[in-house]
Amino acid sequence: MVDDTSAASASPRSTEQVPATMQAVVCHGPEDYRLEEVPVPTRGAGQVLLAVEAVGICASDLKCYHGAAKFWGDENRPAWAETEVIPGHEFVGRVVELDDEAAAHWGIAVGDRVVAEQIVPDWTCRYCLLGAYHMCARHDMYGFKRATPGAMASYMVLTTDSLVHKVDADLPPAHAAFAEPLSCALHGVERAELTFDDVVVVAGCGPIGLGMIAGSRAKNPRLVVALDMDDAKLDIARRTGADVTINIAREDAVARVKELTDGWGADVYIESAGHPSAVGQGLNLLRKLGRYVEYSVFGSDVTVDWSIISDDKELDVRGAHLGPHCWPAAIRMIESGALPMDDICTHQLPLADFQKGLDLVASGKESIKVSLIP
């Protein structure tokens, strides 16, 4: 009897000779990432081999680099990423090899440019069965687990449970890779359940915050307000859809928002700055019965007066994680040219300069979105 799966894997669709080895960034522990020559990964049945074109560096990559213990305050906990893993989860690549099973599963072919969601669900747990695959209890994650090496490399493999989306081949690679953070931003906006009469405040004008501003504007609320301490980022925020910008280094954001709303406060506050002070700021500038959405990756614990949430204002506080069901919308938004992508994607570096890229993200003063180009 013929094993059709094995036959498909043994006779892949491919148009180029794939080398035996490649350059990749490899995690050996906290603050110990190394550029190494490693074997090109082998594609299994139903899987896809990608030639990576770009991979973004985000705050979670930086947290992973420093090691979770530094942030969680528990030296007995392991680093957030497993050692010997290749990091990188914001990526775009070109399909160089796949079999009939993979082609039929995703509707893709050799030569197509694709992106994939960072989470690889098991599709069988309680959350997956409810449609909340982004909360899968037994998931893998590109760039964090050995089972799913990431994209800081010349090649990577997409496993059979991945969520894969085609993207325009004419987009600059760094722009196409921005689909991951933009989908996360749009999910945060969806969690806010905006209405036409809402005054929405977005804290932080980094990659996620700018995406949230664009997503909020697309929902057409009454007013979109952007907060940051950097005038250059606030300028981009205006071109991304903000009606009002507030430099919190010079102005009292709470007082200004109260002024804009006849003293009531904002209807919605979406936090993407990642600084503890932004949490209290949001609680104070919201009106009673307002909605608070938290998306940030924090580097330390945050303490607030919870009585504001309950006794004072009865706020609706919501978390947001990843970008479930938002990838098609994010890709359409990038492809439409609606966003000032050249201003958002500020730095594209060769893979060998990964340390410079991490340092740029850590600084936050010279860059918005930093990408590596293998």
Side-chain angles (χ1 to χ4, degrees), residues 319-341:
H321 176 59
L322 300 184
H325 311 295
C326 292
W327 282 71
I331 292 168
R332 288 195 303 271
M333 188 175 284
I334 295 170
E335 292 176 343
S336 73
L339 299 177
M341 291 303 301

Side-chain angles (χ1 to χ4, degrees), residues 36-280:
E36 299 179 357
E37 193 77 13
V38 301
V40 170
T42 302
R43 178 195 64 83
Q47 298 182 345
V48 176
L49 181 66
L50 286 189
V52 179
E53 294 182 308
V55 53
I57 303 175
C58 85
S60 61
D61 289 312
L62 190 66
K63 181 175 180 179
C64 167
Y65 170 73
H66 287 299
K70 177 177 179 180
F71 294 93
W72 283 328
D74 184 351
E75 297 299 329
N76 295 316
R77 296 188 73 166
W80 200 25
E82 296 176 351
T83 56
E84 310 305 320
V85 75
I86 297 171
H89 62 273
E90 299 179 4
F91 59 85
V92 62
R94 180 172 44 83
V95 177
V96 296
E97 187 179 294
L98 79 171
D99 56 24
D100 291 340
E101 179 186 346
H105 180 55
W106 288 304
I108 59 176
V110 168
D112 283 347
R113 174 186 268 178
V114 300
V115 292
E117 303 190 26
Q118 67 165 285
I119 193 167
V120 183
D122 73 350
W123 298 112
T124 64
C125 81
R126 175 180 183 175
Y127 301 110
C128 288
L129 295 176
L130 290 172
Y133 67 85
H134 65 303
M135 301 305 296
C136 176
R138 296 182 292 270
H139 64 277
D140 283 319
M141 190 82 76
Y142 285 113
F144 297 97
K145 298 189 177 183
R146 296 189 195 97
T148 46
M152 290 188 188
S154 300
Y155 293 89
M156 68 180 297
V157 166
L158 302 182
T159 63
T160 55
D161 288 327
S162 301
L163 294 108
V164 178
H165 308 274
K166 291 172 67 172
V167 64
D168 192 334
D170 293 330
L171 288 175
H175 296 189
F178 193 70
E180 198 281 335
L182 183 55
S183 70
C184 293
L186 296 186
H187 177 54
V189 171
E190 288 204 330
R191 290 285 288 159
E193 296 186 352
L194 302 187
T195 70
F196 295 133
D197 198 41
D198 281 337
V199 172
V200 183
V201 177
V202 177
C205 295
I208 298 291
L210 290 171
M212 288 172 168
I213 290 165
S216 296
R217 174 42 54 211
K219 295 283 189 179
N220 202 30
R222 177 156 56 102
L223 205 63
V224 178
V225 181
L227 310 182
D228 205 283
M229 300 177 68
D230 186 320
D231 285 331
K233 290 180 180 178
L234 289 170
D235 176 64
I236 298 172
R238 283 189 289 273
R239 288 184 281 126
T240 307
D243 301 297
V244 177
T245 58
I246 301 173
N247 187 317
I248 61 172
R250 296 195 299 268
E251 292 188 77
D252 182 332
V254 175
R256 181 73 190 285
V257 169
K258 293 285 184 68
E259 178 186 325
L260 291 167
T261 57
D262 296 326
W264 297 107
D267 302 282
V268 176
Y269 181 82
I270 309 178
E271 201 290 301
S272 70
H275 193 280
S277 65
V279 179

Side-chain angles (χ1 to χ4, degrees), residues 320-367:
H321 176 59
L322 300 184
H325 311 295
C326 292
W327 282 71
I331 292 168
R332 288 195 303 271
M333 188 175 284
I334 295 170
E335 292 176 343
S336 73
L339 299 177
M341 291 303 301
D342 286 332
D343 296 318
I344 294 172
C345 297
T346 53
H347 293 75
Q348 293 88 53
L349 306 172
L351 196 62
D353 288 346
F354 73 90
Q355 187 63 60
K356 179 180 178 182
L358 289 165
D359 293 342
L360 280 167
V361 175
S363 167
K365 298 178 181 178
E366 305 168 56
S367 66

